[in-house]
């Protein structure tokens, strides 16, 4: 049924690249290359880090051992591609976005029995938007999906719009709750989100997952910067 709906939407609303407007694709190869991220620094502190993009001290502090991302967020094309997907209801773009994220995961994260866990949005925002953008991407990655173990109990402001790093970490504190701890214990969890700026949301989710027995925690996001 999902494939039928997707095909119908493709016919009614044919894709166009969010970066340049090229017809037939949600993001063309040229734009994907233009916004590609090149980094050898730790996601959190920007010191030189290994391929995991998280240095050892930050991995211990934030409970995340690795973060992978294909695109830099400080580019107008990235803002438009992800913004159109999230705020204009372009659900059909999810498989194309997931393809780029999947390539990054394969290239940058060590092999394990990863279970994807999309960062949840508050129920009020999901009703307004009609979908959780991270969930749609996560289910296209071809990995076991943990859908409802982590829930968002506080409607926080968008992290990308917060005034400071400190404000972002403070606003997200205690915003999540674990509903199904049995889905977490002993598993290697791969957090999925569309954008991460300071990593406040990812680290708060990881803190809870670690407390409830997650064996390993890593993250993959479309864009950072």
């Amino acid at each position: 049924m999902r494939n039928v709906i997707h095909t119908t939407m493709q016919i009614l609303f044919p894709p166009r690249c969010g970066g340049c407007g090229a017809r037939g694709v949600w993001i063309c190869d040229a734009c994907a290359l233009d916004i590609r991220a090149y980094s050898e620094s730790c996601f959190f502190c920007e010191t030189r880090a290994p391929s995991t993009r998280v240095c050892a001290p930050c991995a211990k502090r934030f409970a995340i051992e690795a973060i992978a991302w294909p695109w830099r967020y400080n580019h107008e094309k990235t803002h438009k591609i992800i913004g159109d997907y999230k705020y204009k209801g372009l659900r059909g773009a999810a498989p194309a976005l997931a393809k780029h994220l999947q390539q990054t995961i394969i290239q940058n994260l060590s092999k394990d029995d990863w279970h994807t866990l999309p960062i949840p949005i508050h129920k009020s925002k999901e009703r307004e938007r009609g979908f959780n953008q991270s969930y749609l991407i996560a289910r296209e990655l071809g990995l076991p999906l943990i859908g409802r173990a982590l829930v968002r109990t506080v409607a926080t402001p968008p992290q990308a719009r917060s005034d400071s790093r400190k404000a972002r970490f403070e606003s997200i504190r205690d915003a999540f709750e674990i509903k199904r701890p049995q889905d977490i214990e002993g598993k290697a969890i791969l957090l999925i989100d569309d954008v991460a700026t300071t990593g406040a949301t990812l680290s708060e989710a990881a803190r809870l997952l670690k407390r409830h027995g997650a064996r390993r925690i890593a993250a993959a996001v479309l864009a950072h910067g």
Side-chain angles (χ1 to χ4, degrees):
M1 177 60 70
R2 196 174 82 193
N3 289 335
V4 172
I5 294 173
H6 177 66
T7 301
T8 302
M9 293 300 291
Q10 292 278 77
I11 294 172
L12 295 176
F13 304 100
R16 299 188 67 168
C17 174
C20 66
R23 296 180 181 272
V25 292
W26 291 112
I27 175 168
C28 71
D29 292 342
C31 285
L33 183 62
D34 192 26
I35 64 177
R36 184 177 174 184
Y38 298 91
S39 175
E40 295 182 352
S41 301
C42 172
F43 178 98
F44 293 103
C45 70
E46 298 186 351
T47 60
R48 189 172 180 84
S51 59
T52 59
R53 299 296 175 259
V54 180
C55 68
C58 285
K60 183 176 181 181
R61 178 182 177 187
F62 297 105
I64 300 176
E65 65 179 60
I67 301 180
W69 65 96
W71 301 331
R72 51 198 173 98
Y73 193 54
N74 56 350
H75 193 294
E76 60 182 3
K77 287 184 179 180
T78 316
H79 278 261
K80 188 171 189 310
I81 290 166
I82 296 177
D84 285 354
Y85 166 58
K86 288 172 66 172
Y87 304 119
K88 293 186 178 181
L90 302 182
R91 302 186 191 199
L97 296 173
K99 178 182 176 181
H100 288 277
L101 192 59
Q102 185 179 50
Q103 293 171 348
T104 301
I105 290 169
I106 293 171
Q107 292 168 1
N108 295 283
L109 297 183
S110 61
K111 291 184 178 180
D112 203 334
D113 184 21
W114 292 109
H115 288 66
T116 59
L117 195 159
I119 292 292
I121 58 177
H122 192 263
K123 59 184 179 181
S124 61
K125 186 175 292 185
E126 190 163 356
R127 282 196 301 267
E128 177 185 345
R129 189 174 297 166
F131 64 100
N132 176 352
Q133 70 279 358
S134 300
Y135 178 85
L136 295 188
I137 292 171
R139 75 180 186 182
E140 298 289 340
L141 293 174
L143 295 169
L145 175 65
I146 300 174
R148 298 294 178 182
L150 182 71
V151 298
R152 197 166 195 144
T153 56
V154 178
T156 57
Q159 289 292 296
R161 300 177 191 171
S162 297
D163 293 333
S164 68
R165 178 184 178 87
K166 182 179 179 181
R168 292 172 185 180
F169 275 84
E170 289 179 349
S171 70
I172 200 68
R173 189 75 177 178
D174 298 322
F176 297 111
E177 190 174 299
I178 297 290
K179 290 293 188 183
R180 295 179 55 84
Q182 66 271 28
D183 293 348
I184 303 299
E185 188 174 2
K187 290 186 172 66
I189 305 296
L190 179 60
L191 293 168
I192 303 297
D193 209 355
D194 56 337
V195 175
T197 49
T198 61
T201 300
L202 294 175
S203 63
E204 178 63 13
R207 182 180 68 85
L208 269 182
L209 295 172
K210 181 65 72 174
R211 182 191 297 173
H212 285 83
R215 175 169 55 84
R216 299 177 67 189
I217 304 171
V221 299
L222 285 173
H224 167 57

